[in-house]
Amino acid sequence: MTGMTSSARPFLNRRLAEFGTTIFAEMSALAVRTGAINLGQGFPDTDGPQEVREAAVRALRDGRGNQYPPGPGVPELRTAIAAHQSARYGLSYDPDTEVLVTVGATEAVAAVMLALLEPGDEVVALEPYYDSYAACIAMAGARRVPVTLRPDPEAARFRLDLDELRDAVTDSTRLLLINTPHNPTGTVLTRAELTAIAELAVERDLLVVTDEVYEHLVYDDAEHIPLATLPGMRERTVTIGSAGKTFSFTGWKVGWVTASPGLTTAVRSAKQFLTYVASGPFQYAVAEALALPDSYFTAFRDDMLAKRDLLAGGLAEAGFRVFKPAGTYFITTDIRPLGESDGFAFCRALPERAGVVAIPNAVFYDHREEGAPFVRFAFCKQTAVLQEAVKRLKS
């Protein structure tokens, strides 16, 4: 006998067969192999505030969080999350019954899908979407129904077609999965768009899951409006937030869910069997981070805005068509002005050609052809790194 299994069945179950290795792993490996500047994966190359790091060290030394933290998250963090939602958006959540700490936003998405969906339920999601959405919907045995955001040449942004959204909802639709500020397009949904989404959810009695991890990264005259603040939405909306993007500690994996008690309990029921708990000492540090003065959040946003403009300008000069993002730390570009139309081929060749790594947006689409000519660059890097990347791309 060789070490083969007795059946010809593949190891990976068919729900996940289409997902395989993520494009991020492939592109990061390419960056290492070629010595290219990695503007593919969205993680900062500098740490967040020193005082937040020290808070984590202090928690470790004081023995706080070195054993299992409470299932819903440490009380200090849940209180800080509730205070944040109240101070910024006028949303009041009970820290004990309406806040759940998760292992980053990624686990929050997984727990929400596994908790709220039955096999056969449909989930309407905005396309392009963050890659874990599709996998989590598949793991829950549900079906994703993408509604495509399309480039609006006039506004130089990607737009949601509200008629298309309404048409996508059927009797099998269980929930709407919304992401604003939107990764990868950088679109921030307007009050008018969110109001239409809210009216649709109320009319069709749908649950809404809203991924708001880039809430503190909105630029120019864009405004982040949580869906839960709109009429009829507080009771039917699960809001997902995260510390990783706002405080530049992506490795700590601290995220959260805020929702009405019934929804929070449901999500917690699934979450407890995924990781149970995690990130003990980091939870205390994030509680302190959320209480930082407004000046921190303003400076953080201003820094990212300057970096956005630096990279956007460089990409435009290099010949890309640039969609200047109203939020997030990603820029989507159109490669057709460069005489290219296949984002995959372009991104696989770019490290050798220019010494820069990007991500093909098509990986975030069910309708691959819709995303084919678009490529995403991350600008959450040191200014000198972005300047060097711009220089390489221009040459």
Side-chain angles (χ1 to χ4, degrees):
M1 274 294 286
T2 62
M4 291 299 290
T5 57
S6 56
S7 83
R9 204 172 112 181
F11 293 130
L12 185 63
N13 73 63
R14 62 175 175 263
R15 289 195 305 280
L16 288 179
E18 66 177 287
F19 299 104
T21 310
T22 74
I23 190 74
F24 301 108
E26 182 190 339
M27 289 299 160
S28 293
L30 201 54
V32 172
R33 200 166 72 240
T34 58
I37 294 174
N38 190 353
L39 301 186
Q41 200 159 7
F43 59 85
D45 57 0
T46 42
D47 281 344
Q50 178 69 23
E51 65 265 44
V52 177
R53 218 179 330 168
E54 290 307 320
V57 173
R58 208 165 56 241
L60 272 167
R61 288 213 177 103
D62 296 348
R64 286 176 303 143
N66 294 337
Q67 309 306 330
Y68 293 137
V74 303
E76 289 86 344
L77 178 52
R78 283 182 280 126
T79 301
I81 292 163
H84 172 272
Q85 297 303 90
S86 172
R88 298 211 162 254
Y89 310 119
L91 282 166
S92 74
Y93 288 100
D94 180 334
D96 291 327
T97 60
E98 298 185 309
V99 180
L100 173 68
V101 177
T102 58
V103 185
T106 308
E107 189 198 37
V109 171
V112 166
M113 297 303 151
L114 291 168
L116 302 182
L117 297 172
E118 296 284 355
D121 282 345
E122 289 178 357
V123 177
V124 174
L126 306 184
E127 175 185 71
Y129 43 67
Y130 179 58
D131 62 349
S132 88
Y133 295 177
C136 291
I137 292 165
M139 284 192 278
R143 206 168 78 78
R144 65 184 182 274
V145 179
V147 171
T148 311
L149 298 179
R150 294 204 171 79
D152 174 353
E154 301 288 294
R157 72 177 283 234
F158 281 74
R159 241 180 230 296
L160 170 60
D161 183 326
L162 292 165
D163 291 329
E164 210 174 309
L165 180 69
R166 274 188 284 272
D167 292 345
V169 175
T170 71
D171 292 341
S172 299
T173 308
R174 169 70 164 164
L175 61 85
L176 305 177
L177 177 51
I178 305 297
N179 171 214
T180 183
H182 183 264
N183 171 18
T185 67
T187 293
V188 176
L189 295 177
T190 63
R191 185 173 287 280
E193 288 168 329
L194 292 166
T195 300
I197 292 169
E199 286 167 355
L200 176 65
V202 171
E203 177 199 332
R204 301 299 297 266
D205 193 23
L206 304 172
L207 296 173
V208 180
V209 177
T210 171
D211 174 350
E212 302 181 7
V213 301
Y214 295 99
E215 62 189 309
H216 290 288
L217 289 174
V218 288
Y219 313 117
D220 310 322
D221 51 2
E223 180 194 3
H224 174 63
I225 302 161
L227 253 172
T229 60
L230 296 174
M233 297 308 288
R234 171 71 170 73
E235 294 308 306
R236 67 177 68 247
T237 301
V238 179
T239 303
I240 295 171
S242 166
K245 303 296 187 276
T246 301
F247 302 109
S248 301
F249 291 114
T250 57
W252 289 7
K253 296 300 290 174
V254 178
W256 52 81
V257 161
T258 51
S260 60
L263 283 169
T264 302
T265 300
V267 176
R268 187 181 159 193
S269 296
K271 182 256 184 297
Q272 67 190 343
F273 297 116
L274 292 172
T275 55
Y276 179 45
V277 289
S279 320
F282 300 132
Q283 291 192 33
Y284 292 97
V286 171
E288 294 193 29
L290 284 168
L292 285 170
D294 277 351
S295 57
Y296 165 75
F297 297 92
T298 305
F300 176 59
R301 187 174 63 245
D302 290 348
D303 177 53
M304 286 294 181
L305 177 59
K307 289 172 174 175
R308 176 199 74 170
D309 292 345
L310 166 64
L311 185 58
L315 288 165
E317 283 175 47
F320 292 85
R321 180 165 169 232
V322 174
F323 295 92
K324 202 176 254 194
T328 77
Y329 45 48
F330 300 109
I331 295 178
T332 285
T333 61
D334 189 332
I335 58 175
R336 284 173 292 194
L338 298 168
E340 305 266 0
S341 58
D342 178 350
F344 279 102
F346 181 84
C347 288
R348 288 188 172 121
L350 194 63
E352 294 289 355
R353 273 174 70 186
V356 175
V357 166
I359 294 285
N361 280 27
V363 298
F364 306 122
Y365 286 80
D366 279 10
H367 304 106
R368 286 275 162 110
E369 68 291 347
E370 292 270 1
F374 303 118
V375 167
R376 189 192 84 174
F377 294 84
F379 55 88
C380 49
K381 309 295 177 182
Q382 292 169 55
T383 302
V385 173
L386 294 174
Q387 285 166 336
E388 174 61 22
V390 162
K391 198 170 91 186
R392 292 183 183 188
L393 288 163
K394 281 192 210 166
S395 66

